[in-house]
DNA sequence: CTCAAAAGTTAGTCGCACCTAAATAATAGT
DNA sequence: ACTATTATTTAGGTGCGACTAACTTTTGAG
C-alpha cells in the first residue's frame, strides 16, 4: 500500500513520465467525489489535449497495467494505477498546503504552482514538507491528503445544492477548479469550517440565498452582528460542499 | 538588466526549454570563478550528454543569439544569454539556500534538488523565497546569488592551493561539485567563514596540513582547545576557496 | 613538418507527447 | 430500425532532445 517513492526514483524501477503521472492523478481525483465514468473526451478536456492524445496515452497505460480500458468503454485505474494516482494527489495537496502555510499563497494561487512542483520535488522534500506541516489530512480547499500509507479521510460532505431552505452545514470543501470563484468566495468570507445556512432557494437556478454565520470562537455568542446574507449562483452552489448540521439546523439557536 | 521573469512566462515571449536554460546556466557559472574557455566536450561532460548533442544545442542557441560560437572555437554567452544564465543561477542558488534554511537540508543534499526545482518554480515563488530569506547574497556553498537586478557580489577568494605555509584565510566558498567531499568537510568542521591556517605543504601533491581555527565568537579567546590539525588532499585543496587574511597571517597571534 | 590522436561536427535514428485528418463505433431522434 | 450526431480510435506527421556512427578540423608529439 506504499504510496510513496515518486521523486528521485529508487534505482531499478523505470519511473513514469510526468504526463503519465498526470493522467493517473486526474483519473484518481475524478473518482474521489463522484462515480461518473471517466471518458476519453472528459480527460481530453481536463488535460487540455486532443482526444486522440488521450486514446494514445491510455493505450500505453493499459499495456503498463495501470488502467483498465476496453475500446469505447470507460477508463478505470488498476490497483497499481490507483496507488500511483493517489501518491500524486498526495504530492499535489501537500504542496498546496505548504504554499499557503509557509509562503503566504492565497488558495486561488496554489493550484497552478503545485501542478508543476508535484513532478519536481523529491521524496525527501515531500517528507520534509509533510513533517513541517504536521502531517495534515486536508488541503486548503478541503480535499483530503492521502497519508503516506494510503489512508484517506473523506469528510461526509454534499454540495450546497443538496440543502433545503432552513438547513445549515459546515463548509468542508470548495472545488479548486476556478480561481476566480475562489477569490470571490474569499471576499465573501466563505472559508473552510464556516457555517452556512440556506435561507431561500430561488426557482429555475436563479440562485440561492444563504447566510454566512460568523465564527463563534467566544462560545458566549458575543456581539454577533447581522449575519451577512448573500445570493450564490449555480457555480458556487455546486462548488461548495458542506457537512450537514445533523438534525438541529439551528446550532445557533441551541443556547440563544 | 532584468534577470527575472523565467517561470510562468509573460504571455508573448516564447520561453526557453529547461535544457536550454541549463546550458546557459552552466556556461554562465563556468566563467564565474575561472576564465578557462568553455568547450563542447567540457559541456558534454558537465551535462552528461554526448558531444554531438552539445554541438546541436549550441547551434540552436547560436541562432537564437544567446551564445557566440564559430565552429571548433570556444563558446561564449551573448549579453542576452548572460542575463538568462545569470537568472538561472539566481534561481538555483536561492533554492539551495532555501532548502538549507527552511527544510533542514545539508549542503551536500541541495544541489540535485535545486537542479530540478529551478525549472519548476514560478517567479512568484522565487520572490517569496527571496523575501523569506531576506535577500541573501550568497548560497550555502559561498557562491554569490545574483540580485534581481543582476548585481553580483564576488568575494575575492583563491583556492587553498594558493596559500603558503603560515598563510591563513577565511573560507569563502566550497565547490559543490562533489557531495561526498562536502559531507567529509562537514565532518571536519570546515564551514563558510571559518579560519584556516596552512601549516605545511607536502611535496608531490601528497596533501597539505592545515589547521581549522575554531570560531571565535566570544571575542575573549575563551577556552580554545587545541585547534584540529588535518591533512587535506588535492581535491579538497582546490575546492576550498579562501579570502586571504591580508598581511597578518597570524590573526590569532595578534592578541595571544 | 608530418601524421596520429583528440576534439568537434554532420547525418541519420529513436522515443515521447503532442497534433490533424480520416475512419469507425456508439448513441439518440424520429 | 435507420440515420445523423457524437465519441473514440487509427494513421500519419511534427519538434525536441537525446543517441550512434561517420566524417572533418585542430592539436601536439616526435
Amino acid at each position: 500500500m506504499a504510496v510513496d517513492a515518486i521523486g528521485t526514483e529508487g534505482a531499478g524501477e523505470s519511473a513514469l513520465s510526468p504526463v503519465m503521472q498526470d493522467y493517473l492523478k486526474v483519473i484518481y481525483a475524478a473518482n474521489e467525489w463522484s462515480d461518473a465514468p471517466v471518458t476519453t473526451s472528459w480527460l481530453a478536456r481536463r488535460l487540455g489535449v486532443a482526444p486522440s492524445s488521450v486514446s494514445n496515452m491510455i493505450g500505453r497505460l493499459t499495456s503498463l497495467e495501470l488502467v483498465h480500458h476496453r475500446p469505447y468503454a470507460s477508463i478505470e485505474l488498476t490497483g497499481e494505477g490507483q496507488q500511483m494516482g493517489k501518491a500524486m494527489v498526495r504530492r499535489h495537496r501537500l504542496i498546496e498546503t505548504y504554499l499557503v502555510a509557509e509562503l503566504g499563497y492565497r488558495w486561488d494561487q496554489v493550484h497552478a504552482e503545485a501542478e508543476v512542483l508535484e513532478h519536481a520535488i523529491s521524496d525527501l522534500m515531500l517528507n520534509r514538507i509533510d513533517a513541517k506541516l504536521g502531517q495534515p489530512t486536508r488541503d486548503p480547499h478541503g480535499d483530503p491528503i492521502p497519508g503516506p500509507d494510503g489512508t484517506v479521510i473523506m469528510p461526509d460532505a454534499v454540495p450546497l445544492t443538496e440543502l433545503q431552505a432552513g438547513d445549515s452545514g459546515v463548509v468542508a470543501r470548495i472545488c479548486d477548479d476556478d480561481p476566480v470563484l475562489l477569490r470571490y468566495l474569499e471576499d465573501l468570507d466563505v472559508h473552510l469550517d464556516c457555517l452556512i445556512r440556506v435561507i431561500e432557494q430561488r426557482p429555475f437556478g436563479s440562485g440561492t440565498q444563504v447566510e454566512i454565520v460568523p465564527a463563534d470562537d467566544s462560545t458566549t455568542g458575543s456581539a454577533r452582528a447581522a449575519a451577512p446574507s448573500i445570493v450564490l449562483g449555480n457555480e458556487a452552489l455546486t462548488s461548495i460542499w458542506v457537512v450537514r448540521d445533523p438534525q438541529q439546523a439551528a446550532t445557533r439557536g441551541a443556547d440563544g
Side-chain angles (χ1 to χ4, degrees), chain A:
Chain A
M1 269 289 177
V3 124
D4 263 350
I6 299 284
T8 313
E9 208 60 27
E13 296 296 315
S14 70
L16 297 182
S17 71
V19 174
M20 289 174 170
Q21 294 175 340
D22 272 338
Y23 275 76
L24 299 177
K25 177 194 65 175
V26 166
I27 297 169
Y28 174 85
N31 288 319
E32 209 172 24
W33 297 93
S34 127
D35 51 0
V38 173
T39 65
T40 301
S41 49
W42 183 86
L43 273 177
R45 228 171 305 120
R46 189 70 169 67
L47 294 168
V49 298
S52 61
S53 304
V54 174
S55 271
N56 200 310
M57 180 56 78
I58 292 300
R60 283 205 283 147
L61 293 175
T62 300
S63 59
L64 289 173
E65 308 206 68
L66 294 168
V67 306
H68 291 304
H69 179 57
R70 291 196 341 275
Y72 299 99
S74 70
I75 297 156
E76 273 157 48
L77 295 174
T78 64
E80 201 186 340
Q82 194 136 14
Q83 272 178 41
M84 311 194 88
K86 194 191 279 188
M88 290 311 298
V89 163
R90 170 170 160 77
R91 291 184 151 245
H92 183 91
R93 294 182 184 163
L94 269 177
I95 291 166
E96 287 191 342
T97 308
Y98 184 82
L99 293 175
V100 167
E102 298 289 329
L103 291 174
Y105 276 61
R106 291 189 316 262
W107 69 356
D108 59 298
Q109 296 177 310
V110 293
H111 186 79
E113 189 89 52
E115 203 66 28
V116 180
L117 286 179
E118 67 194 7
H119 303 293
I121 74 175
S122 68
D123 288 336
L124 172 62
M125 185 158 171
L126 191 74
N127 290 334
R128 293 291 166 93
I129 285 175
D130 189 37
K132 187 148 200 170
L133 295 171
Q135 284 90 38
T137 59
R138 67 172 187 181
D139 78 5
H141 314 100
D143 286 308
I145 300 175
D149 60 350
T151 312
V152 172
I153 300 172
M154 284 290 285
D156 190 19
V158 295
L160 203 46
T161 47
E162 299 289 306
L163 265 55
Q164 304 300 318
D167 290 355
S168 65
V170 172
V171 173
R173 177 189 183 226
I174 302 183
C175 291
D176 59 350
D177 296 336
D178 182 355
V180 177
L181 175 66
L182 286 175
R183 293 225 61 177
Y184 173 67
L185 292 176
E186 172 107 67
D187 287 344
L188 255 39
D189 267 325
V190 175
H191 298 300
L192 284 185
D193 298 327
C194 81
L195 188 61
I196 288 193
R197 199 167 66 91
V198 173
I199 311 258
E200 183 194 0
Q201 286 170 311
R202 301 184 178 178
F204 308 115
S206 61
T208 290
Q209 191 164 28
V210 305
E211 182 189 31
I212 312 296
V213 183
D216 204 28
D217 308 46
S218 48
T219 318
T220 52
S222 65
R224 196 187 296 116
S229 167
I230 57 185
V231 175
L232 295 176
N234 202 258
E235 194 194 347
L237 293 171
T238 54
S239 294
I240 300 173
W241 290 56
V242 297
V243 174
R244 280 202 152 91
D245 226 357
Q247 30 284 12
Q248 83 261 33
T251 304
R252 296 135 40 265
D255 59 46

